Amino acid sequence: MPSESSATARALAPLRHTIYRWLWIASLASNMGTWMHNVGAAWLMTSLDSSPLLVALVQTATSLPVFLFGIPAGAIADIFDRRRLLLVTQGWMLLAAAILGAITIFGVATPASLLVLTFMLGIGSAMNGPAWQATVPELVPREELAAAVALNSVQFNIARAIGPALGGLVIAVSNTGSVFLLNAVSFVGVMAVIYWWPGVKTRESTEERVVSAMWAGLRYVRYAPELHSVLIRCGVFVLCGSALWAMLPVVAKQELGSSATGYGVLLGCLGTGSVIGAFALGRLQASYDFDTMAIGGTVLFAAATCALAFLQSFGLLCIAMLFGGFSWLLTMSCFNVASQTALPKWVRARALAIYILVFQGSLALGSWIWGDIASRRGLRVSLVLSCLGLLLGAIATRRFRLSQAGEIDVTPAMQWPEPSVTRMPAPDDGPVLVMIEYRIPSAQALEFTRAMYEVGPIRRRNGAIRWGLFEDAANTGRYVESFLVESWAEHLRQHERLTVSDRAVEERAIAFHTGGEPPPITHWIASDEKENGR
């Protein structure tokens, strides 16, 4: 077993990298500013109009942009310079927060202006999220990615523990406008570090439009079984586990009779548990795979949820929340790293945008479900059902295996030959039909077919809108693989998107081909009536 010092060193290893370290510090300040804003916005709305609907709409204005702009944000982050995009989104949020702070200080803020500017901040956050998550693997070596993800979670939990209290303190000694201005200032540090960072080129060699990039991302997720496992298991875990987060303030106030300070202490215990989990992650990862850690984390979080339902002692509940924070970070880190390491760079932000949507959607839907059950059947029933849901979900989703770090090599293979054409088509020409002919011995036909049906999803997720394998009825052993791509530019992108792991699957199928030459490939471009004068 690794020593305590070596485990701690692994947990903190990403901080050795200058850009990551400064971004981590700047993000901590920025997230604290965001939590301060959340407190200030809710407090300001109660001052402007105490309507429960308007107060609730503040949270809606914050979270709705994720659902409206998440997928376009992922596509934009994949096809444009992420460094510039991050600078733009941070600048956008700085401007929105500064305007809100100014109009609040001058006493001209209205419920409508608060909602509009909060919505603008939400747009900036939604556009920023996929690019930010996709940037993490570019800042640290692959073997340190799990530790980097855990440290980001720690940073978020520290901000969540300190930010609301600090926001309340600033409002008490100054005013709500000062909270918004401090939030605006918090974006400056992030922008300075991003400006300093040279960034990594993300654009493909052939220009891609945003709409087609969105469809390409959705198509990739549809045909990526490794990502399906992450999305299903994350969705079930967050859907069932959201009860603890949603019911914690209610339990603190109604069951324990605690003040806002007591609720803050319970949140702080969750955050502290996350910090402990981050330091333990390296040691656990050395001994267990992601599946084992995710199941163990789910069971432990179910126990913490059950404790919230039955424990009446504040001290014991604090201990339970320590385990809750530990298990939440452990489980979510497994999901996050499994998704990050299974994604090639060309589609990483798009796929992570969908991961964020699943997480946020499950959290929102779960909070509504458990809140509704609590209002009808009581808090204890809601929390016990959540606990059972976590345990049953862990059993039901166990067959969806998480890919391990380093198991999938997403390095571009760049081994496809250049298309052989007499006239170079225009980028928008298409659709393009690609046909590959194989000669297969009769005795190996079944094995070849099975191998090719593993190639099919790779073709589809890398750009094909249709795929098929056909056998010549008049010529035994002659097979033709065909796939349709929407344009010539998209087919050229396929040449860039093939990964080393994809290539290994393809080579297993090609190995059945007989003859001294590789399988012949032909390209067919859809005929245009106007070009042919018809």
Side-chain angles (χ1 to χ4, degrees), residues 213-264:
M214 290 167 56
W215 283 114
L218 291 170
R219 186 169 55 239
Y220 184 93
V221 171
R222 180 182 175 187
Y223 293 104
E226 298 86 2
L227 198 58
H228 296 171
S229 297
V230 175
L231 296 179
I232 291 170
R233 293 182 67 166
C234 177
V236 171
F237 174 74
V238 175
L239 181 71
C240 297
S242 58
L244 184 146
W245 300 99
M247 297 296 105
L248 184 62
V250 183
V251 170
K253 184 174 183 179
Q254 296 183 6
E255 301 296 316
L256 300 178
S258 295
S259 63
T261 302
Y263 170 55

Side-chain angles (χ1 to χ4, degrees), residues 260-337:
T261 302
Y263 170 55
V265 170
L266 291 173
L267 275 180
C269 289
L270 282 165
T272 303
S274 297
V275 175
I276 296 171
F279 284 100
L281 187 63
R283 168 173 288 193
L284 292 171
Q285 196 174 14
S287 304
Y288 304 101
D289 60 20
F290 286 156
D291 287 306
T292 303
M293 289 194 294
I295 291 173
T298 301
V299 172
L300 190 58
F301 194 79
T305 303
C306 192
L308 188 63
F310 292 102
L311 290 180
Q312 298 296 313
S313 166
F314 184 81
L316 291 177
L317 199 54
C318 285
I319 296 173
M321 292 306 99
L322 284 172
F323 284 102
F326 176 95
S327 54
W328 180 270
L329 179 131
L330 177 66
T331 309
M332 291 307 302
S333 293
C334 291
F335 297 148
N336 203 328
V337 177

Side-chain angles (χ1 to χ4, degrees), residues 137-485:
E138 299 170 3
L139 302 175
V140 298
R142 187 181 181 89
E143 62 271 14
E144 295 178 7
L145 181 57
V149 169
L151 283 171
N152 285 348
S153 297
V154 167
Q155 170 249 106
F156 180 82
N157 280 285
I158 292 173
R160 179 169 57 189
I162 298 175
L166 188 58
L169 179 63
V170 172
I171 292 173
V173 301
S174 181
N175 54 62
T176 311
S178 299
V179 169
F180 300 143
L181 290 180
L182 285 173
N183 185 32
V185 172
S186 73
F187 295 116
V188 175
V190 180
M191 293 180 69
V193 179
I194 294 172
Y195 183 81
W196 181 28
W197 174 48
V200 177
K201 183 179 179 181
T202 59
R203 185 190 294 272
E204 296 175 299
S205 62
T206 50
E207 187 174 350
E208 191 172 7
R209 295 184 178 91
V210 173
V211 174
S212 63
M214 290 167 56
W215 283 114
L218 291 170
R219 186 169 55 239
Y220 184 93
V221 171
R222 180 182 175 187
Y223 293 104
E226 298 86 2
L227 198 58
H228 296 171
S229 297
V230 175
L231 296 179
I232 291 170
R233 293 182 67 166
C234 177
V236 171
F237 174 74
V238 175
L239 181 71
C240 297
S242 58
L244 184 146
W245 300 99
M247 297 296 105
L248 184 62
V250 183
V251 170
K253 184 174 183 179
Q254 296 183 6
E255 301 296 316
L256 300 178
S258 295
S259 63
T261 302
Y263 170 55
V265 170
L266 291 173
L267 275 180
C269 289
L270 282 165
T272 303
S274 297
V275 175
I276 296 171
F279 284 100
L281 187 63
R283 168 173 288 193
L284 292 171
Q285 196 174 14
S287 304
Y288 304 101
D289 60 20
F290 286 156
D291 287 306
T292 303
M293 289 194 294
I295 291 173
T298 301
V299 172
L300 190 58
F301 194 79
T305 303
C306 192
L308 188 63
F310 292 102
L311 290 180
Q312 298 296 313
S313 166
F314 184 81
L316 291 177
L317 199 54
C318 285
I319 296 173
M321 292 306 99
L322 284 172
F323 284 102
F326 176 95
S327 54
W328 180 270
L329 179 131
L330 177 66
T331 309
M332 291 307 302
S333 293
C334 291
F335 297 148
N336 203 328
V337 177
S339 62
Q340 292 267 18
T341 55
L343 293 170
K345 190 169 72 172
W346 72 267
V347 77
R348 185 176 292 142
R350 278 167 275 193
L352 288 175
I354 296 173
Y355 173 82
I356 293 170
L357 276 177
V358 169
F359 174 84
Q360 294 284 3
S362 300
L363 193 63
L365 179 61
S367 298
W368 175 76
I369 290 173
W370 303 120
D372 185 63
I373 293 174
S375 65
R376 296 171 184 270
R377 302 295 181 183
L379 278 171
R380 185 164 294 175
V381 171
S382 177
L383 290 166
V384 169
L385 289 177
S386 167
C387 176
L388 292 174
L390 284 164
L391 297 175
L392 292 175
I395 296 171
T397 60
R398 188 174 182 180
R399 66 189 182 91
F400 297 100
R401 180 178 173 276
L402 299 175
S403 61
Q404 307 305 307
E407 184 177 308
I408 301 173
D409 191 343
V410 295
T411 306
M414 302 298 289
Q415 291 180 3
W416 268 15
E418 286 296 317
S420 178
V421 294
T422 56
R423 176 187 66 84
M424 183 57 66
D428 291 333
D429 284 353
V432 178
L433 176 64
V434 182
M435 302 182 71
I436 308 174
E437 183 178 328
Y438 302 90
R439 291 287 182 172
I440 307 298
S442 299
Q444 296 181 313
L446 181 59
E447 290 85 351
F448 169 73
T449 302
R450 288 173 177 168
M452 285 302 298
Y453 275 90
E454 293 182 17
V455 173
I458 293 173
R459 303 281 194 243
R460 288 178 179 269
R461 70 183 181 225
N462 284 349
I465 55 179
R466 291 182 186 175
W467 179 88
L469 180 67
F470 304 89
E471 182 180 6
D472 189 343
N475 192 340
T476 303
R478 183 178 181 229
Y479 289 81
V480 173
E481 175 195 7
S482 71
F483 53 92
L484 192 68
V485 189

